[in-house]
Amino acid sequence: MTEPSTAPLYITMHALDNVAIVVNDGGLPAGTRFASGLVLREKVPQAHKVALVDIAQGEAVRRYNVPIGYALQAIPAGSWVHERLLQMPAARELEGLPIATVKPEPLPPLTGYTFEGYRNADGSVGTRNILAVTQTVQFVAGVTSFCVSRIKAELLPRYPHVDDVVALEHTYGCGVAIDAPDAVIPIRTVRNISLNPNFGGEVMVISLGCEKLQPERLLPPGSIPIRDERGQATGADAPLDTICLQDEAHVGFMSMVDHILRQAEGHLQRLNARRRETVPASELVVGVQCGGSDAFSGVTANPAVGFCTDLLVRAGATVMFSEVTEVRDGIDQLTARAASPEVAQAMIREMAWYDAYLNQGRVDRSANTTPGNKKGGLSNIVEKAMGSIVKSGSYAITGVISPGEKLTQKGLIYAATPASDFICGTLQLAAGMNLHVFTTGRGTPYGLAEVPVIKVATRNDLARRWHDLMDVNAGRIASGEKTIEQVGWELFELMLDVASGRKKTWAEQWKLHNALVLFNPAPVT
Ligand code: CA
């Protein structure tokens, strides 16, 4: 571990900001002189804001090039800018938003970067070669789990090119109002997860028989088209491989088990014939999210992820950012950055839907910032949201998808999901991500069986203590050892290595697998 610098340091998020964040452990005392010549007029705690210039009363205090508040009094350069000096901007209504007004400067395309992936018939690319066992209903989870253990122990060793066998367990499928309008969300989520690029187009469904979510409803005709050599749909459908436990042919549990193992073998044979091939970095489909956030999330890890997001978009790849409740206060920035009015309207539609969903549960979103957030230097929800949105980089937003939908285009995509870590990851998986990036400050051992999860620590201390759980340490940005750009590039290179299977993430190494958690806003019965 390199020694962090002890020189007084601050981090500015944008060239037009008039405040910066003090990064030194324990904060800095009055009289501290920075390399820029700025002198502190008073003590400023770690992760809190210092005025870089004189700010007049009523003037916007800008961080991330966004007004996070308005000065209640004149704030001289070198002052501590805390929440009591700021008037919080009014909550954004969903009317009168700027629509596609910002046209980010097009950056030069990033070419020449590749990874080794599994090309699928539909043109998508997997980063792992996994047999996934889809389930229509929770009732079959025990049987599926029993069979997956046996497949792994008895069959998988004979198919060395298959990475893993994964049961797609979930709690949906029966006892639910399946015709409620919002039931479409959990149903299409399970469907689209089974079609994730990491499963090679091999779909195998275990059904009970009497459940509400029948196999034909989960994967209706057209879900798995037969393709020609050029990957074009032929108009015909592949027959759905369904094993029904209540089938009269099954006499005894072992009959079901034998049937499932027999069917699994056919899928394993086809998956095992696949080989990695060199594909352009544009085939990456990256889902980004944060969880267990701290004051440094928006200073170190999220900006580095944002820089990497720009690299990926320049390389022609797809990046999804999500978490409705953590971007809601920055909606004006997002609609302004939309590539077209249609994209902006789609974003507004998602926010309005979620506002109504929260209202139904009588939730007051002004309660979002915690005492810990404020102690850590986040003055209000606007500033917190800005720290989360920064993961999306600086490019124009080219598309929006609703919860559980599958991506149909490349570029920077807003995938509407709750901020809940498990639900966000599950929905990004359904959207078709083949690589997941997760930033954390407090620390979480999060991982998924279906797709590699690269975890980025916001602080040196977390990276030191969790050295065999965190894949990237963005804390070095705060200690001045690395720049945002350097960590962003490091993450980009690691993504190509992990996507290629050359490196495993720590969560893969230890097989840390969280459950799939469906978002079901519809009633249960
Ligand atoms: Ca989250």
Side-chain angles (χ1 to χ4, degrees):
M1 177 102 190
T2 19
E3 280 300 309
S5 166
T6 49
L9 289 170
Y10 60 71
I11 290 182
T12 314
M13 302 314 299
H14 191 278
L16 296 179
D17 287 355
N18 53 14
V19 293
I21 303 302
V22 166
V23 299
N24 302 71
D25 284 341
L28 292 170
T32 300
R33 180 180 291 273
F34 293 93
S36 67
L38 181 74
V39 178
L40 287 186
R41 297 172 62 93
E42 57 197 310
K43 177 182 162 59
V44 179
Q46 185 186 33
H48 281 246
K49 294 176 284 298
V50 55
L52 296 172
V53 293
D54 293 336
I55 300 170
Q57 185 179 0
E59 197 181 330
V61 171
R62 301 185 77 82
R63 198 180 159 204
Y64 304 103
N65 194 25
V66 164
I68 57 163
Y70 296 92
L72 289 168
Q73 62 188 64
I75 305 174
S79 303
W80 175 20
V81 183
H82 48 73
E83 75 266 19
R84 294 179 302 284
L85 292 178
L86 297 183
Q87 190 195 344
M88 187 165 136
R92 275 314 297 222
E93 297 292 332
L94 292 177
E95 280 105 45
L97 290 164
I99 303 294
T101 46
V102 175
K103 299 287 173 211
E105 278 296 302
L107 290 167
L110 194 61
T111 54
Y113 289 91
T114 61
F115 69 100
E116 305 297 309
Y118 294 99
R119 178 76 75 180
N120 294 311
D122 66 356
S124 69
V125 171
T127 58
R128 296 291 181 268
N129 190 25
I130 294 171
L131 171 60
V133 185
T134 302
Q135 300 161 65
T136 54
V137 66
Q138 167 62 212
F139 286 121
V140 305
V143 175
T144 307
S145 158
F146 182 95
C147 292
V148 165
S149 300
R150 278 197 50 186
I151 295 167
K152 281 185 176 186
E154 298 166 30
L155 303 181
L156 193 57
R158 301 211 305 271
Y159 301 99
H161 296 287
V162 182
D163 292 314
D164 205 359
V165 183
V166 172
L168 301 179
E169 183 180 348
H170 60 81
T171 56
Y172 198 71
C174 215
V176 289
I178 204 154
D179 293 317
D182 290 334
V184 66
I185 294 176
I187 295 172
R188 72 184 171 209
T189 303
V190 179
R191 172 188 312 142
N192 289 332
I193 287 176
S194 75
L195 303 173
N196 183 279
N198 278 5
F199 308 147
E202 296 295 326
V203 180
M204 172 177 173
V205 182
I206 315 282
S207 151
L208 180 63
C210 61
E211 67 273 29
K212 278 190 168 169
L213 183 55
Q214 290 287 305
E216 314 75 71
R217 184 156 190 172
L218 178 62
L219 287 146
S223 303
I224 315 166
I226 295 177
R227 294 176 190 276
D228 63 20
E229 273 117 58
R230 299 196 323 279
Q232 302 298 313
T234 58
D237 280 334
L240 192 57
D241 177 17
T242 306
I243 296 116
C244 175
L245 301 190
Q246 289 172 350
D247 194 317
E248 287 178 10
H250 291 142
V251 180
F253 176 49
M254 280 308 140
S255 163
M256 301 171 194
V257 173
D258 290 345
H259 189 182
I260 292 170
L261 262 63
R262 203 164 52 241
Q263 292 303 111
E265 187 126 33
H267 294 288
L268 286 169
Q269 279 164 2
R270 285 189 292 277
L271 289 171
N272 196 54
R274 309 172 78 216
R275 294 293 180 273
R276 288 187 184 271
E277 57 185 276
T278 304
V279 296
S282 58
E283 299 297 352
L284 285 176
V285 182
V286 179
V288 300
Q289 70 153 321
C290 49
S293 300
D294 71 353
F296 279 105
S297 294
V299 179
T300 60
N302 291 351
V305 168
F307 181 84
C308 187
T309 293
D310 282 350
L311 294 179
L312 288 162
V313 174
R314 284 173 60 195
T318 304
V319 181
M320 286 179 275
F321 69 107
S322 298
E323 302 169 300
V324 176
T325 45
E326 287 178 17
V327 301
R328 176 62 179 82
D329 273 271
I331 183 60
D332 52 334
Q333 274 188 62
L334 298 181
T335 53
R337 268 174 67 197
S340 69
E342 292 72 29
V343 169
Q345 292 304 338
M347 224 156 346
I348 293 167
R349 182 196 68 216
E350 292 301 331
M351 297 293 142
W353 185 93
Y354 213 88
D355 280 358
Y357 168 73
L358 290 179
N359 283 341
Q360 228 173 27
R362 300 187 185 195
V363 179
D364 179 357
R365 86 188 155 76
S366 72
N368 187 307
T369 31
T370 64
N373 288 152
K374 291 189 174 175
K375 198 176 170 195
L378 294 174
S379 294
N380 54 43
I381 180 61
V382 181
E383 188 175 11
K384 186 178 174 180
M386 296 314 122
S388 178
I389 286 178
V390 75
K391 297 196 295 299
S392 68
S394 62
Y395 261 91
I397 300 157
T398 48
V400 176
I401 58 171
S402 299
E405 282 184 342
K406 196 169 159 58
L407 285 166
T408 54
Q409 62 177 128
K410 288 177 180 283
L412 180 61
I413 308 290
Y414 181 67
T417 80
S420 158
D421 299 343
F422 325 112
I423 296 179
C424 173
T426 300
L427 293 171
Q428 289 183 341
L429 199 59
M433 77 169 157
N434 54 23
L435 200 58
H436 199 10
V437 173
F438 191 103
T439 67
T440 182
R442 303 299 305 167
T444 159
Y446 175 78
L448 291 173
E450 297 81 7
V451 65
V453 181
I454 296 176
K455 288 200 294 299
V456 184
T458 70
R459 295 176 296 127
N460 283 335
D461 182 54
L462 176 66
R464 177 184 61 78
R465 288 185 292 112
W466 286 31
H467 58 90
D468 47 7
L469 288 167
M470 293 292 140
D471 300 292
V472 176
N473 175 17
R476 293 166 300 163
I477 296 166
S479 53
E481 296 155 89
K482 295 275 179 187
T483 62
I484 287 169
E485 293 76 11
Q486 285 168 330
V487 176
W489 272 109
E490 189 182 314
L491 176 60
F492 181 75
E493 300 281 357
L494 179 64
M495 282 181 179
L496 297 176
D497 282 340
V498 169
S500 302
R502 288 190 291 265
K503 279 189 184 161
K504 280 187 172 180
T505 65
W506 281 114
E508 281 185 296
Q509 176 106 353
W510 303 124
K511 298 192 191 312
L512 306 180
H513 299 154
N514 284 102
L516 299 177
V517 183
L518 297 181
F519 180 39
N520 179 20
V524 293
T525 57

